[in-house]
């Protein structure tokens, strides 16, 4: 959902998305397929840590066949979209959304045969992405963010799309 908000594209068929249908884990396989179909293109999958956990083992497939995809994990240690709903509509009653554990995605990437890079500050992202592109092999970039960063705009449960709101509407 984050890339859908911010990705600026100029050509059709350069953004693959499950369309927000809750298909956690969709991106890694889609990225592998996109790279095999377009070997001369840079292919980047952007996923939350919950989504990445669903099919992170497919990084081993990319490594096995030397398919140089870049996996950017937006790692807030929670199931972000569900937590956002629980924060805004359910009085912060968090249930089954907190993933605050000791999983190290850099080590996971390395164990699966890929390169792992950790990003903890916004200014580290550009150099990390440049390095990932230059390596020509599968790379996982683990981007640490706050557990309460939100994705806006959004629509309340059961509301019409015309009622979409953002952070400014909550202040």
């Amino acid at each position: 959902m984050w890339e859908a908000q911010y990705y600026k594209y100029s050509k059709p068929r350069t953004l693959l998305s499950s369309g927000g249908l809750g298909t956690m884990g969709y991106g890694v396989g889609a990225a592998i397929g996109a790279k095999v179909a377009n070997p001369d293109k840079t292919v980047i999958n952007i996923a939350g840590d919950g989504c990445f956990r669903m099919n992170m083992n497919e990084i081993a497939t990319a490594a096995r066949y030397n398919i140089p995809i870049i996996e950017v994990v937006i790692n807030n240690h929670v199931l972000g979209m569900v937590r956002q709903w629980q924060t805004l509509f359910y009085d912060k009653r968090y249930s089954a959304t907190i993933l605050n554990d000791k999983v190290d995605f850099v080590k996971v990437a390395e164990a699966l045969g890929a390169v792992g890079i950790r990003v903890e500050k916004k200014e580290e992202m550009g150099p990390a992405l440049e390095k990932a592109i230059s390596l020509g092999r599968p790379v996982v970039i683990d981007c640490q963010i706050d557990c309460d960063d939100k994705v806006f705009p959004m629509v309340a449960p059961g509301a019409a799309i015309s009622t979409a709101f953002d952070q400014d509407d909550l202040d």
Side-chain angles (χ1 to χ4, degrees), residues 82-161:
V82 178
R83 181 183 173 91
Q84 182 167 326
W85 280 54
Q86 290 172 345
T87 299
L88 297 174
F89 306 116
Y90 298 101
D91 297 320
K92 298 183 180 180
R93 291 189 309 270
Y94 302 121
S95 175
T97 57
I98 299 170
L99 306 174
N100 196 14
D101 52 27
K102 303 295 185 228
V103 175
D104 184 330
F105 291 132
V106 170
K107 289 181 180 177
V108 168
E110 292 167 353
L112 296 172
V115 173
I117 301 170
R118 182 166 292 106
V119 168
E120 296 179 340
K121 299 176 185 161
K122 287 180 186 179
E123 53 272 9
E124 297 172 346
M125 188 60 199
L129 197 52
E130 289 173 10
K131 178 179 179 181
I133 292 168
S134 73
L135 290 173
R137 46 184 298 217
V139 176
V140 174
I141 302 175
D142 180 11
C143 300
Q144 300 288 312
I145 68 166
D146 186 82
C147 67
D148 285 315
D149 284 352
K150 307 273 187 289
V151 177
F152 288 112
M154 71 175 297
V155 178
I161 191 72

Side-chain angles (χ1 to χ4, degrees), residues 9 11 14 31 39 61 117 134 171:
Y9 55 91
K11 296 179 182 172
T14 58
T61 301
I117 301 170
S134 73
D171 295 334

Side-chain angles (χ1 to χ4, degrees), residues 27-28 31-32 35 41-47 52 59 62 67-73 114-115 117 125 128-142:
V28 180
I32 290 171
K35 185 63 177 178
K41 301 286 185 186
T42 299
V43 175
I44 301 170
N45 181 48
I46 302 169
F52 183 59
I59 294 296
I67 303 169
I69 62 169
I70 299 169
E71 175 74 18
V72 175
V73 180
V115 173
I117 301 170
M125 188 60 199
L129 197 52
E130 289 173 10
K131 178 179 179 181
I133 292 168
S134 73
L135 290 173
R137 46 184 298 217
V139 176
V140 174
I141 302 175
D142 180 11

Side-chain angles (χ1 to χ4, degrees), residues 4-5 9-10 16 40 49-50 56 73 77 79-80 82 98 119 143-145 160 167 169:
Q5 299 293 328
Y9 55 91
S10 59
L16 298 176
D40 297 334
D49 50 323
M56 64 185 172
V73 180
H77 302 278
L79 297 177
V82 178
I98 299 170
V119 168
C143 300
Q144 300 288 312
I145 68 166
Q167 182 68 47
D169 297 315

Side-chain angles (χ1 to χ4, degrees), residues 1-21:
M1 298 312 302
W2 285 48
E3 105 282 329
Q5 299 293 328
Y6 297 104
Y7 177 65
K8 305 292 184 215
Y9 55 91
S10 59
K11 296 179 182 172
R13 294 180 294 283
T14 58
L15 173 65
L16 298 176
S17 173
S18 67
L21 297 175

